[in-house]
Amino acid sequence: MALPCKQLSLILLPALFCWLLLAGSCRNDQDKGGKIDIAFRNLLNDSSAITSSLRYTNSAGNIYEVDELQYFISDIKLWKEGKAFLLTADSGIHYVDINIPSTLIWTPDQVFPAGTYDSISYTFGLNEARNISNYFVNPPERDMFWPDVMGGGYHYMKMNGKWKATGGQINPFNLHLGVGMISDSLGNNVFVQNYFTVTVPVYQAYVSESQFNRTLWFQMDINSWFDTPYTWDWNIIGGQIMQNQDAMYMASMNGKDAITVSYSSAKPK
């Protein structure tokens, strides 16, 4: 005997409700994302840079050492199928210092949608909206300040070291990258932004909520700053570039291929 439609509905509705609830739960699980760790390595001759040791040679033949390396990475975006997912945790800014191990690992508290990402973009330094004087109140970030008379804000990078000049004299260098300044045709000072944004491919960068955090490795080849497209010769350029916009432009161009990004399913140590 067939049941009346009303009775049949009363029987099927609870089952339908449970199915919809289960299906929704499955969809939510599938839509959940995961977190990422970001680790920074700074290399010379394919090995971790050894500071305060006059042992490296650039493409111009300058023998040099790096004593300090500090820089900002900001506005990291993970790209998937043409869509960008911006890292906003910690204001989207990270400070790296080769002499402070805790800065070499960043664990932002942010969830990214699950899936495979094909590229990463980032800004080296700070753009105009972020590069505001007195934004950082505590060291070490605070100590990256850039003089207000030269545009204000903060250094994008400080690389300090020494090089052996022609004749054998050991000279200091300060490769400091930040806002540049030039004069226009009327003699007025004009500020120039030297930060740069790079997009790099990343093979099989997979994010999943079902496992531990995945790791993106930002690996800097320090020697690349002195290589292409401009050959860097301290004997010609000199050791101080903060008030030399031509030199800062060369540095910003050379820096665009200084960092590669790779993916690992292992957590950084």
Side-chain angles (χ1 to χ4, degrees):
M1 181 178 66
L3 293 174
C5 290
K6 185 175 182 181
Q7 291 181 356
L8 185 61
S9 298
L10 290 175
I11 294 173
L12 293 179
L13 277 176
L16 179 62
F17 176 77
C18 290
W19 181 85
L20 290 173
L21 186 63
L22 180 61
S25 175
C26 291
R27 282 197 302 271
N28 289 337
D29 286 343
Q30 292 172 354
D31 291 343
K32 287 180 180 178
K35 297 180 181 180
I36 59 170
D37 293 327
I38 302 174
F40 298 87
R41 299 180 67 194
N42 303 285
L43 306 181
L44 274 164
N45 294 348
D46 298 322
S47 299
S48 295
I50 299 174
T51 58
S52 304
S53 179
L54 202 68
R55 61 171 64 196
Y56 302 106
T57 304
N58 68 9
S59 58
N62 302 147
I63 298 172
Y64 73 98
E65 69 179 51
V66 173
D67 302 325
E68 298 176 306
L69 175 62
Q70 304 149 355
Y71 55 93
F72 286 110
I73 294 289
S74 62
D75 294 327
I76 292 176
K77 295 177 182 178
L78 280 65
W79 290 85
K80 180 175 65 170
E81 298 175 350
K83 184 176 181 181
F85 298 86
L86 177 66
L87 195 162
T88 58
D90 305 320
S91 300
I93 300 171
H94 187 69
Y95 168 80
V96 179
D97 190 323
I98 197 172
N99 292 316
I100 303 179
S102 61
T103 68
L104 303 181
I105 299 177
W106 185 15
T107 56
D109 186 18
Q110 181 173 337
V111 173
F112 289 90
T116 301
Y117 294 82
D118 51 57
S119 58
I120 305 294
S121 61
Y122 66 90
T123 295
F124 190 88
L126 304 164
N127 65 26
E128 299 95 326
R130 295 177 175 276
N131 198 20
I132 301 171
S133 296
N134 303 314
Y135 178 82
F136 299 107
V137 297
N138 297 314
E141 293 91 341
R142 180 195 64 192
D143 299 334
M144 293 285 281
F145 72 90
W146 190 264
D148 286 338
V149 295
M150 296 171 59
Y154 295 88
H155 287 72
Y156 311 147
M157 177 178 74
K158 290 182 183 180
M159 186 191 301
N160 299 324
K162 300 179 181 67
W163 97 94
K164 183 181 289 188
T166 302
Q169 181 179 350
I170 307 302
N171 293 330
F173 74 81
N174 304 116
L175 184 62
H176 290 191
L177 191 60
V179 178
M181 186 167 60
I182 59 175
S183 296
D184 64 15
S185 59
L186 299 177
N188 300 312
N189 290 331
V190 178
F191 295 123
V192 180
Q193 304 298 323
N194 290 304
Y195 68 86
F196 52 89
T197 298
V198 178
T199 301
V200 292
V202 180
Y203 178 71
Q204 293 292 312
Y206 185 69
V207 175
S208 171
E209 63 88 22
S210 62
Q211 300 185 34
F212 51 79
N213 294 13
R214 306 304 176 100
T215 303
L216 291 174
W217 289 91
F218 278 63
Q219 185 166 285
M220 178 188 287
D221 177 3
I222 296 173
N223 217 21
S224 186
W225 288 94
F226 313 122
D227 194 358
T228 54
Y230 297 101
T231 299
W232 194 274
D233 188 341
W234 277 292
N235 293 302
I236 297 173
I237 298 170
Q240 320 296 323
I241 69 167
M242 283 182 67
Q243 293 178 294
N244 182 345
Q245 172 54 29
D246 288 341
M248 282 199 287
Y249 172 80
M250 291 168 58
S252 66
M253 293 297 101
N254 282 5
K256 288 186 175 183
D257 64 355
I259 294 177
T260 57
V261 182
S262 60
Y263 159 81
S264 173
S265 59
K267 292 182 70 65
K269 298 180 180 179

